[in-house]
Amino acid sequence: MRPESLLRLLKSVEEQTLYPNEIIVVDGSLDAKTEVLLTKTHFKDLFYFKVGTNDRGLTKQRNYGINKVSENSEIICFLDDDIVLNLNYFKNLIASYYKQPSALAIGGYITNEVKWEVSDLLNTPSKFYAEGWMRAEPSRMKFRKKFGLLPDVPPGFLPTFSHARSIGFIPPTGEIYPVELIMGGVSSYKKEVFEVLQFSSYFEGYGLYEDADFSLRIAKKGNLYINTSAELQHYHDAEGRPNQYKYGKMVIRNGWYVWRVKYSKPNRKAKFKWHATAVLLTLIRFTNVFTTTQRKAAFQESLGRVVGWWSLIFNKPKVES
């Protein structure tokens, strides 16, 4: 349901210094706008598939697309439709597999969501520092620090109580970093991964955190990396996203699910810290009702988080192995 974003992405693919062997578009739109768009434009080696109700939704469409990939393909890349690639994205991404031959999956690096600066070496609490770089420390992390709830592992890894630092906390050094979490919308995988794993059917529709689930299951079998030289931009498109109430429920329930994918039997301390962090982040989100202009959205998401948290008492998700 985002034809304009898709066209912008495809134009950036067309300009790549290393062009993909095939492009597969799996369209779950409820209208024909994307189909019409692609009949009016031409992109080399593009294959278009329109799916119905049974195959609609992020994880279902990815699994559908995998089954359409050429037998000769060795690396399968996924891109959300609201992405724009830098010229050398595929060249640098594919080069990663030669530099890290053990890699089962490698993610790209979004450059327009975080402002990094050269470190001022002051180590002020308002900044996050890493390898000679610094970025603003979000307010939620400042509050988590006050309550002893900061992640105790590097960015891209899942703490025992979950609630990790995202890939956005890895600095723009141009280097390749080991991780166990990569973002699905800017991801790539060796084709052999899909001989033993597929995207989980638990994540229906929008599928929040489906990428974390898949990453953690891959990490049980081999190595994952982020290549910070495989650069792209992410321009969030509101079309096709769930309402804020449903999103809030997903944050809690899907977050709990992903946590238990890695830690099926967390200890009492980890359980306490997971719930404490979830409650704290919900309270912080609720304050946005009074501190931002998006008051309705903040209230709806906060309500969804509360309902999602209480639902865990009576109806916990069943976690796939």
mmCIF file of all heavy atoms in Angstrom, residues 268-310:
data_model
loop_
_atom_site.group_PDB
_atom_site.id
_atom_site.type_symbol
_atom_site.label_atom_id
_atom_site.label_comp_id
_atom_site.label_asym_id
_atom_site.label_seq_id
_atom_site.Cartn_x
_atom_site.Cartn_y
_atom_site.Cartn_z
ATOM 1 N N ARG A 268 14.802 -15.184 38.399
ATOM 2 C CA ARG A 268 13.885 -14.246 39.044
ATOM 3 C C ARG A 268 14.316 -12.795 38.850
ATOM 4 O O ARG A 268 13.493 -11.923 38.605
ATOM 5 C CB ARG A 268 13.783 -14.571 40.541
ATOM 6 C CG ARG A 268 12.740 -13.764 41.282
ATOM 7 C CD ARG A 268 12.599 -14.245 42.711
ATOM 8 N NE ARG A 268 12.180 -15.650 42.753
ATOM 9 C CZ ARG A 268 12.037 -16.336 43.888
ATOM 10 N NH1 ARG A 268 12.311 -15.752 45.060
ATOM 11 N NH2 ARG A 268 11.641 -17.594 43.851
ATOM 12 N N LYS A 269 15.624 -12.544 38.925
ATOM 13 C CA LYS A 269 16.132 -11.180 38.748
ATOM 14 C C LYS A 269 15.849 -10.674 37.347
ATOM 15 O O LYS A 269 15.417 -9.522 37.156
ATOM 16 C CB LYS A 269 17.636 -11.133 39.034
ATOM 17 C CG LYS A 269 18.239 -9.749 38.890
ATOM 18 C CD LYS A 269 19.732 -9.766 39.196
ATOM 19 C CE LYS A 269 20.350 -8.385 39.027
ATOM 20 N NZ LYS A 269 21.823 -8.417 39.304
ATOM 21 N N ALA A 270 16.078 -11.522 36.337
ATOM 22 C CA ALA A 270 15.829 -11.128 34.948
ATOM 23 C C ALA A 270 14.344 -10.855 34.719
ATOM 24 O O ALA A 270 13.976 -9.899 34.025
ATOM 25 C CB ALA A 270 16.331 -12.213 33.997
ATOM 26 N N LYS A 271 13.479 -11.687 35.309
ATOM 27 C CA LYS A 271 12.041 -11.464 35.177
ATOM 28 C C LYS A 271 11.638 -10.120 35.778
ATOM 29 O O LYS A 271 10.867 -9.358 35.179
ATOM 30 C CB LYS A 271 11.265 -12.592 35.867
ATOM 31 C CG LYS A 271 11.323 -13.924 35.156
ATOM 32 C CD LYS A 271 10.526 -14.976 35.924
ATOM 33 C CE LYS A 271 10.565 -16.324 35.243
ATOM 34 N NZ LYS A 271 9.816 -17.348 36.016
ATOM 35 N N PHE A 272 12.173 -9.841 36.969
ATOM 36 C CA PHE A 272 11.846 -8.566 37.615
ATOM 37 C C PHE A 272 12.285 -7.384 36.753
ATOM 38 O O PHE A 272 11.530 -6.422 36.554
ATOM 39 C CB PHE A 272 12.509 -8.481 38.993
ATOM 40 C CG PHE A 272 12.352 -7.131 39.644
ATOM 41 C CD1 PHE A 272 11.176 -6.785 40.287
ATOM 42 C CD2 PHE A 272 13.380 -6.194 39.589
ATOM 43 C CE1 PHE A 272 11.026 -5.534 40.872
ATOM 44 C CE2 PHE A 272 13.243 -4.940 40.157
ATOM 45 C CZ PHE A 272 12.056 -4.615 40.811
ATOM 46 N N LYS A 273 13.508 -7.464 36.209
ATOM 47 C CA LYS A 273 14.033 -6.351 35.432
ATOM 48 C C LYS A 273 13.291 -6.196 34.096
ATOM 49 O O LYS A 273 13.117 -5.080 33.617
ATOM 50 C CB LYS A 273 15.539 -6.526 35.202
ATOM 51 C CG LYS A 273 16.352 -6.434 36.490
ATOM 52 C CD LYS A 273 17.846 -6.550 36.252
ATOM 53 C CE LYS A 273 18.442 -5.274 35.744
ATOM 54 N NZ LYS A 273 19.920 -5.310 35.712
ATOM 55 N N TRP A 274 12.827 -7.324 33.506
ATOM 56 C CA TRP A 274 12.040 -7.200 32.273
ATOM 57 C C TRP A 274 10.754 -6.443 32.556
ATOM 58 O O TRP A 274 10.410 -5.496 31.838
ATOM 59 C CB TRP A 274 11.706 -8.573 31.686
ATOM 60 C CG TRP A 274 11.025 -8.449 30.346
ATOM 61 C CD1 TRP A 274 11.629 -8.414 29.126
ATOM 62 C CD2 TRP A 274 9.617 -8.272 30.097
ATOM 63 N NE1 TRP A 274 10.704 -8.242 28.126
ATOM 64 C CE2 TRP A 274 9.452 -8.152 28.696
ATOM 65 C CE3 TRP A 274 8.489 -8.207 30.898
ATOM 66 C CZ2 TRP A 274 8.204 -7.970 28.102
ATOM 67 C CZ3 TRP A 274 7.242 -8.022 30.309
ATOM 68 C CH2 TRP A 274 7.102 -7.910 28.923
ATOM 69 N N HIS A 275 10.023 -6.848 33.589
ATOM 70 C CA HIS A 275 8.755 -6.198 33.903
ATOM 71 C C HIS A 275 8.962 -4.758 34.366
ATOM 72 O O HIS A 275 8.195 -3.861 34.000
ATOM 73 C CB HIS A 275 8.006 -7.002 34.970
ATOM 74 C CG HIS A 275 7.401 -8.261 34.456
ATOM 75 N ND1 HIS A 275 6.250 -8.280 33.708
ATOM 76 C CD2 HIS A 275 7.812 -9.555 34.553
ATOM 77 C CE1 HIS A 275 5.955 -9.518 33.373
ATOM 78 N NE2 HIS A 275 6.892 -10.321 33.872
ATOM 79 N N ALA A 276 10.009 -4.523 35.159
ATOM 80 C CA ALA A 276 10.289 -3.160 35.632
ATOM 81 C C ALA A 276 10.579 -2.232 34.460
ATOM 82 O O ALA A 276 10.106 -1.085 34.418
ATOM 83 C CB ALA A 276 11.468 -3.179 36.602
ATOM 84 N N THR A 277 11.349 -2.716 33.482
ATOM 85 C CA THR A 277 11.668 -1.902 32.314
ATOM 86 C C THR A 277 10.425 -1.656 31.471
ATOM 87 O O THR A 277 10.202 -0.539 30.979
ATOM 88 C CB THR A 277 12.752 -2.587 31.465
ATOM 89 O OG1 THR A 277 13.881 -2.888 32.275
ATOM 90 C CG2 THR A 277 13.197 -1.678 30.324
ATOM 91 N N ALA A 278 9.595 -2.682 31.289
ATOM 92 C CA ALA A 278 8.365 -2.525 30.510
ATOM 93 C C ALA A 278 7.446 -1.492 31.132
ATOM 94 O O ALA A 278 6.869 -0.648 30.434
ATOM 95 C CB ALA A 278 7.652 -3.876 30.395
ATOM 96 N N VAL A 279 7.314 -1.530 32.463
ATOM 97 C CA VAL A 279 6.457 -0.562 33.161
ATOM 98 C C VAL A 279 7.046 0.840 33.055
ATOM 99 O O VAL A 279 6.327 1.811 32.789
ATOM 100 C CB VAL A 279 6.284 -0.977 34.633
ATOM 101 C CG1 VAL A 279 5.604 0.133 35.426
ATOM 102 C CG2 VAL A 279 5.465 -2.263 34.733
ATOM 103 N N LEU A 280 8.354 0.955 33.254
ATOM 104 C CA LEU A 280 9.004 2.260 33.176
ATOM 105 C C LEU A 280 8.831 2.885 31.801
ATOM 106 O O LEU A 280 8.482 4.072 31.665
ATOM 107 C CB LEU A 280 10.489 2.128 33.510
ATOM 108 C CG LEU A 280 11.329 3.412 33.382
ATOM 109 C CD1 LEU A 280 10.836 4.475 34.359
ATOM 110 C CD2 LEU A 280 12.808 3.107 33.604
ATOM 111 N N LEU A 281 9.049 2.100 30.740
ATOM 112 C CA LEU A 281 8.923 2.621 29.380
ATOM 113 C C LEU A 281 7.471 2.991 29.057
ATOM 114 O O LEU A 281 7.215 3.938 28.304
ATOM 115 C CB LEU A 281 9.450 1.595 28.371
ATOM 116 C CG LEU A 281 10.948 1.312 28.454
ATOM 117 C CD1 LEU A 281 11.347 0.225 27.469
ATOM 118 C CD2 LEU A 281 11.771 2.581 28.210
ATOM 119 N N THR A 282 6.516 2.263 29.637
ATOM 120 C CA THR A 282 5.102 2.612 29.453
ATOM 121 C C THR A 282 4.787 3.951 30.111
ATOM 122 O O THR A 282 4.094 4.791 29.534
ATOM 123 C CB THR A 282 4.204 1.508 30.040
ATOM 124 O OG1 THR A 282 4.441 0.283 29.337
ATOM 125 C CG2 THR A 282 2.734 1.871 29.914
ATOM 126 N N LEU A 283 5.316 4.154 31.314
ATOM 127 C CA LEU A 283 5.100 5.429 32.015
ATOM 128 C C LEU A 283 5.734 6.587 31.246
ATOM 129 O O LEU A 283 5.145 7.668 31.139
ATOM 130 C CB LEU A 283 5.680 5.353 33.429
ATOM 131 C CG LEU A 283 4.954 4.416 34.398
ATOM 132 C CD1 LEU A 283 5.733 4.309 35.713
ATOM 133 C CD2 LEU A 283 3.531 4.932 34.665
ATOM 134 N N ILE A 284 6.926 6.352 30.709
ATOM 135 C CA ILE A 284 7.591 7.401 29.922
ATOM 136 C C ILE A 284 6.759 7.731 28.688
ATOM 137 O O ILE A 284 6.575 8.903 28.343
ATOM 138 C CB ILE A 284 9.008 6.942 29.515
ATOM 139 C CG1 ILE A 284 9.911 6.848 30.750
ATOM 140 C CG2 ILE A 284 9.618 7.909 28.496
ATOM 141 C CD1 ILE A 284 11.263 6.225 30.466
ATOM 142 N N ARG A 285 6.238 6.696 28.024
ATOM 143 C CA ARG A 285 5.399 6.924 26.841
ATOM 144 C C ARG A 285 4.137 7.688 27.218
ATOM 145 O O ARG A 285 3.693 8.562 26.462
ATOM 146 C CB ARG A 285 5.043 5.587 26.184
ATOM 147 C CG ARG A 285 4.236 5.719 24.889
ATOM 148 C CD ARG A 285 4.990 6.477 23.833
ATOM 149 N NE ARG A 285 4.300 6.511 22.561
ATOM 150 C CZ ARG A 285 4.099 7.617 21.846
ATOM 151 N NH1 ARG A 285 4.523 8.800 22.300
ATOM 152 N NH2 ARG A 285 3.474 7.561 20.681
ATOM 153 N N PHE A 286 3.572 7.405 28.372
ATOM 154 C CA PHE A 286 2.352 8.096 28.804
ATOM 155 C C PHE A 286 2.599 9.587 29.047
ATOM 156 O O PHE A 286 1.719 10.417 28.790
ATOM 157 C CB PHE A 286 1.797 7.458 30.071
ATOM 158 C CG PHE A 286 0.504 8.078 30.535
ATOM 159 C CD1 PHE A 286 -0.688 7.836 29.865
ATOM 160 C CD2 PHE A 286 0.485 8.928 31.638
ATOM 161 C CE1 PHE A 286 -1.877 8.420 30.279
ATOM 162 C CE2 PHE A 286 -0.702 9.511 32.061
ATOM 163 C CZ PHE A 286 -1.888 9.259 31.389
ATOM 164 N N THR A 287 3.795 9.948 29.499
ATOM 165 C CA THR A 287 4.088 11.372 29.718
ATOM 166 C C THR A 287 4.040 12.157 28.419
ATOM 167 O O THR A 287 3.851 13.381 28.434
ATOM 168 C CB THR A 287 5.467 11.569 30.374
ATOM 169 O OG1 THR A 287 6.494 11.073 29.498
ATOM 170 C CG2 THR A 287 5.546 10.849 31.708
ATOM 171 N N ASN A 288 4.186 11.455 27.273
ATOM 172 C CA ASN A 288 4.106 12.140 25.982
ATOM 173 C C ASN A 288 2.718 12.705 25.707
ATOM 174 O O ASN A 288 2.551 13.552 24.828
ATOM 175 C CB ASN A 288 4.505 11.194 24.845
ATOM 176 C CG ASN A 288 5.950 10.761 24.899
ATOM 177 O OD1 ASN A 288 6.298 9.677 24.463
ATOM 178 N ND2 ASN A 288 6.820 11.606 25.445
ATOM 179 N N VAL A 289 1.718 12.221 26.453
ATOM 180 C CA VAL A 289 0.369 12.791 26.344
ATOM 181 C C VAL A 289 0.399 14.274 26.698
ATOM 182 O O VAL A 289 -0.365 15.080 26.143
ATOM 183 C CB VAL A 289 -0.607 12.032 27.271
ATOM 184 C CG1 VAL A 289 -1.981 12.696 27.273
ATOM 185 C CG2 VAL A 289 -0.732 10.569 26.844
ATOM 186 N N PHE A 290 1.294 14.646 27.589
ATOM 187 C CA PHE A 290 1.374 16.028 28.068
ATOM 188 C C PHE A 290 2.535 16.814 27.468
ATOM 189 O O PHE A 290 2.551 18.043 27.536
ATOM 190 C CB PHE A 290 1.515 16.031 29.602
ATOM 191 C CG PHE A 290 0.493 15.178 30.292
ATOM 192 C CD1 PHE A 290 0.822 13.913 30.750
ATOM 193 C CD2 PHE A 290 -0.815 15.643 30.469
ATOM 194 C CE1 PHE A 290 -0.123 13.125 31.384
ATOM 195 C CE2 PHE A 290 -1.766 14.859 31.096
ATOM 196 C CZ PHE A 290 -1.427 13.587 31.556
ATOM 197 N N THR A 291 3.513 16.104 26.877
ATOM 198 C CA THR A 291 4.724 16.793 26.417
ATOM 199 C C THR A 291 4.850 16.899 24.901
ATOM 200 O O THR A 291 5.780 17.542 24.411
ATOM 201 C CB THR A 291 5.978 16.076 26.959
ATOM 202 O OG1 THR A 291 5.982 14.722 26.480
ATOM 203 C CG2 THR A 291 5.978 16.079 28.487
ATOM 204 N N THR A 292 3.937 16.254 24.135
ATOM 205 C CA THR A 292 4.010 16.333 22.682
ATOM 206 C C THR A 292 2.658 16.739 22.108
ATOM 207 O O THR A 292 1.642 16.741 22.809
ATOM 208 C CB THR A 292 4.418 14.970 22.063
ATOM 209 O OG1 THR A 292 3.324 14.050 22.207
ATOM 210 C CG2 THR A 292 5.652 14.413 22.745
ATOM 211 N N THR A 293 2.657 17.043 20.818
ATOM 212 C CA THR A 293 1.401 17.404 20.145
ATOM 213 C C THR A 293 0.618 16.156 19.730
ATOM 214 O O THR A 293 -0.568 16.243 19.428
ATOM 215 C CB THR A 293 1.685 18.261 18.903
ATOM 216 O OG1 THR A 293 2.569 17.540 18.019
ATOM 217 C CG2 THR A 293 2.339 19.583 19.310
ATOM 218 N N GLN A 294 1.294 14.993 19.709
ATOM 219 C CA GLN A 294 0.647 13.730 19.324
ATOM 220 C C GLN A 294 0.032 13.071 20.566
ATOM 221 O O GLN A 294 0.356 11.939 20.922
ATOM 222 C CB GLN A 294 1.658 12.807 18.652
ATOM 223 C CG GLN A 294 2.334 13.389 17.436
ATOM 224 C CD GLN A 294 1.357 13.617 16.285
ATOM 225 O OE1 GLN A 294 0.461 12.812 16.050
ATOM 226 N NE2 GLN A 294 1.523 14.727 15.575
ATOM 227 N N ARG A 295 -0.863 13.784 21.213
ATOM 228 C CA ARG A 295 -1.393 13.319 22.504
ATOM 229 C C ARG A 295 -2.248 12.072 22.360
ATOM 230 O O ARG A 295 -2.152 11.143 23.156
ATOM 231 C CB ARG A 295 -2.207 14.450 23.151
ATOM 232 C CG ARG A 295 -1.356 15.668 23.505
ATOM 233 C CD ARG A 295 -2.196 16.773 24.113
ATOM 234 N NE ARG A 295 -1.358 17.914 24.472
ATOM 235 C CZ ARG A 295 -1.817 19.029 25.021
ATOM 236 N NH1 ARG A 295 -3.123 19.157 25.249
ATOM 237 N NH2 ARG A 295 -0.994 19.997 25.327
ATOM 238 N N LYS A 296 -3.098 12.045 21.347
ATOM 239 C CA LYS A 296 -3.982 10.900 21.156
ATOM 240 C C LYS A 296 -3.183 9.634 20.880
ATOM 241 O O LYS A 296 -3.451 8.574 21.459
ATOM 242 C CB LYS A 296 -4.956 11.160 20.010
ATOM 243 C CG LYS A 296 -5.959 10.036 19.785
ATOM 244 C CD LYS A 296 -6.929 10.379 18.664
ATOM 245 C CE LYS A 296 -7.914 9.240 18.425
ATOM 246 N NZ LYS A 296 -8.856 9.560 17.307
ATOM 247 N N ALA A 297 -2.186 9.744 20.014
ATOM 248 C CA ALA A 297 -1.361 8.592 19.674
ATOM 249 C C ALA A 297 -0.611 8.087 20.900
ATOM 250 O O ALA A 297 -0.514 6.872 21.133
ATOM 251 C CB ALA A 297 -0.381 8.952 18.562
ATOM 252 N N ALA A 298 -0.075 9.009 21.695
ATOM 253 C CA ALA A 298 0.655 8.623 22.904
ATOM 254 C C ALA A 298 -0.257 7.918 23.896
ATOM 255 O O ALA A 298 0.129 6.911 24.518
ATOM 256 C CB ALA A 298 1.286 9.851 23.548
ATOM 257 N N PHE A 299 -1.485 8.423 24.052
ATOM 258 C CA PHE A 299 -2.430 7.796 24.983
ATOM 259 C C PHE A 299 -2.824 6.410 24.498
ATOM 260 O O PHE A 299 -2.868 5.451 25.274
ATOM 261 C CB PHE A 299 -3.672 8.669 25.149
ATOM 262 C CG PHE A 299 -4.712 8.054 26.036
ATOM 263 C CD1 PHE A 299 -4.565 8.066 27.424
ATOM 264 C CD2 PHE A 299 -5.844 7.448 25.502
ATOM 265 C CE1 PHE A 299 -5.505 7.475 28.247
ATOM 266 C CE2 PHE A 299 -6.791 6.862 26.311
ATOM 267 C CZ PHE A 299 -6.624 6.880 27.695
ATOM 268 N N GLN A 300 -3.118 6.293 23.199
ATOM 269 C CA GLN A 300 -3.542 4.999 22.663
ATOM 270 C C GLN A 300 -2.429 3.963 22.786
ATOM 271 O O GLN A 300 -2.693 2.811 23.156
ATOM 272 C CB GLN A 300 -3.961 5.157 21.200
ATOM 273 C CG GLN A 300 -5.267 5.908 21.010
ATOM 274 C CD GLN A 300 -5.615 6.097 19.543
ATOM 275 O OE1 GLN A 300 -4.747 6.126 18.677
ATOM 276 N NE2 GLN A 300 -6.906 6.237 19.256
ATOM 277 N N GLU A 301 -1.200 4.361 22.478
ATOM 278 C CA GLU A 301 -0.100 3.408 22.593
ATOM 279 C C GLU A 301 0.125 3.000 24.047
ATOM 280 O O GLU A 301 0.349 1.820 24.344
ATOM 281 C CB GLU A 301 1.187 3.985 22.014
ATOM 282 C CG GLU A 301 2.338 2.985 22.078
ATOM 283 C CD GLU A 301 3.653 3.549 21.565
ATOM 284 O OE1 GLU A 301 3.651 4.347 20.627
ATOM 285 O OE2 GLU A 301 4.698 3.150 22.138
ATOM 286 N N SER A 302 0.051 3.967 24.951
ATOM 287 C CA SER A 302 0.231 3.663 26.377
ATOM 288 C C SER A 302 -0.834 2.697 26.855
ATOM 289 O O SER A 302 -0.546 1.739 27.587
ATOM 290 C CB SER A 302 0.178 4.955 27.201
ATOM 291 O OG SER A 302 1.188 5.855 26.808
ATOM 292 N N LEU A 303 -2.082 2.926 26.440
ATOM 293 C CA LEU A 303 -3.173 2.036 26.810
ATOM 294 C C LEU A 303 -2.926 0.636 26.258
ATOM 295 O O LEU A 303 -3.131 -0.369 26.958
ATOM 296 C CB LEU A 303 -4.501 2.586 26.295
ATOM 297 C CG LEU A 303 -5.762 1.761 26.624
ATOM 298 C CD1 LEU A 303 -5.954 1.660 28.131
ATOM 299 C CD2 LEU A 303 -6.990 2.405 25.969
ATOM 300 N N GLY A 304 -2.476 0.559 25.010
ATOM 301 C CA GLY A 304 -2.169 -0.729 24.414
ATOM 302 C C GLY A 304 -1.069 -1.464 25.171
ATOM 303 O O GLY A 304 -1.136 -2.682 25.369
ATOM 304 N N ARG A 305 -0.060 -0.727 25.625
ATOM 305 C CA ARG A 305 1.017 -1.341 26.412
ATOM 306 C C ARG A 305 0.483 -1.905 27.725
ATOM 307 O O ARG A 305 0.860 -3.009 28.139
ATOM 308 C CB ARG A 305 2.118 -0.315 26.687
ATOM 309 C CG ARG A 305 2.973 0.048 25.474
ATOM 310 C CD ARG A 305 4.047 1.047 25.863
ATOM 311 N NE ARG A 305 4.852 1.482 24.735
ATOM 312 C CZ ARG A 305 6.185 1.465 24.713
ATOM 313 N NH1 ARG A 305 6.853 1.036 25.768
ATOM 314 N NH2 ARG A 305 6.846 1.887 23.658
ATOM 315 N N VAL A 306 -0.379 -1.140 28.385
ATOM 316 C CA VAL A 306 -0.949 -1.592 29.660
ATOM 317 C C VAL A 306 -1.774 -2.866 29.457
ATOM 318 O O VAL A 306 -1.630 -3.848 30.195
ATOM 319 C CB VAL A 306 -1.812 -0.482 30.298
ATOM 320 C CG1 VAL A 306 -2.579 -1.028 31.505
ATOM 321 C CG2 VAL A 306 -0.939 0.699 30.718
ATOM 322 N N VAL A 307 -2.642 -2.838 28.455
ATOM 323 C CA VAL A 307 -3.469 -4.014 28.167
ATOM 324 C C VAL A 307 -2.583 -5.206 27.795
ATOM 325 O O VAL A 307 -2.822 -6.344 28.239
ATOM 326 C CB VAL A 307 -4.473 -3.707 27.046
ATOM 327 C CG1 VAL A 307 -5.194 -4.979 26.596
ATOM 328 C CG2 VAL A 307 -5.490 -2.662 27.511
ATOM 329 N N GLY A 308 -1.560 -4.961 26.993
ATOM 330 C CA GLY A 308 -0.646 -6.034 26.602
ATOM 331 C C GLY A 308 0.073 -6.628 27.801
ATOM 332 O O GLY A 308 0.246 -7.847 27.895
ATOM 333 N N TRP A 309 0.477 -5.772 28.755
ATOM 334 C CA TRP A 309 1.189 -6.239 29.944
ATOM 335 C C TRP A 309 0.287 -7.112 30.813
ATOM 336 O O TRP A 309 0.670 -8.199 31.247
ATOM 337 C CB TRP A 309 1.710 -5.045 30.734
ATOM 338 C CG TRP A 309 2.583 -5.417 31.892
ATOM 339 C CD1 TRP A 309 3.885 -5.838 31.838
ATOM 340 C CD2 TRP A 309 2.215 -5.406 33.271
ATOM 341 N NE1 TRP A 309 4.351 -6.082 33.112
ATOM 342 C CE2 TRP A 309 3.357 -5.824 34.012
ATOM 343 C CE3 TRP A 309 1.050 -5.072 33.960
ATOM 344 C CZ2 TRP A 309 3.348 -5.922 35.401
ATOM 345 C CZ3 TRP A 309 1.040 -5.170 35.351
ATOM 346 C CH2 TRP A 309 2.173 -5.587 36.057
ATOM 347 N N TRP A 310 -0.943 -6.649 31.065
ATOM 348 C CA TRP A 310 -1.878 -7.432 31.868
ATOM 349 C C TRP A 310 -2.244 -8.750 31.179
ATOM 350 O O TRP A 310 -2.473 -9.770 31.840
ATOM 351 C CB TRP A 310 -3.147 -6.630 32.151
ATOM 352 C CG TRP A 310 -2.976 -5.655 33.284
ATOM 353 C CD1 TRP A 310 -2.785 -4.310 33.210
ATOM 354 C CD2 TRP A 310 -2.964 -5.973 34.686
ATOM 355 N NE1 TRP A 310 -2.648 -3.764 34.465
ATOM 356 C CE2 TRP A 310 -2.758 -4.769 35.392
ATOM 357 C CE3 TRP A 310 -3.105 -7.163 35.411
ATOM 358 C CZ2 TRP A 310 -2.693 -4.716 36.777
ATOM 359 C CZ3 TRP A 310 -3.045 -7.103 36.802
ATOM 360 C CH2 TRP A 310 -2.834 -5.901 37.468
#
